[in-house]
Amino acid sequence: MNPMTLALLVLLVGFLCATVVCIVALCRAHRTDTVALVGELADLVSVFTRYRRKKP
């Protein structure tokens, strides 16, 4: 098997596992915690987009 294909497969499986863990955690959390988390994620995305624009 091509090493690049193997690396891509490992990356994809890791991404899928992380997605499942996050979805399960959100489903098990209390509703107020979920609302706060989603609000914080929006703030985090805005910070990263501002940081990315500052790079030369």
Side-chain angles (χ1 to χ4, degrees):
M1 182 177 265
N2 186 356
M4 185 60 110
T5 306
L6 184 62
L8 187 60
L9 183 64
V10 168
L11 187 65
L12 181 64
V13 169
F15 180 74
L16 288 174
C17 289
T19 302
V20 169
V21 167
C22 289
I23 289 172
V24 169
L26 283 172
C27 290
R28 292 180 50 99
H30 193 268
R31 185 167 185 244
T32 56
D33 295 336
T34 304
V35 171
L37 176 65
V38 171
E40 290 299 320
L41 287 175
D43 292 342
L44 185 63
V45 168
S46 68
V47 167
F48 278 130
T49 55
R50 274 186 270 149
Y51 175 74
R52 188 173 177 194
R53 287 185 196 141
K54 287 182 182 179
K55 287 241 175 199

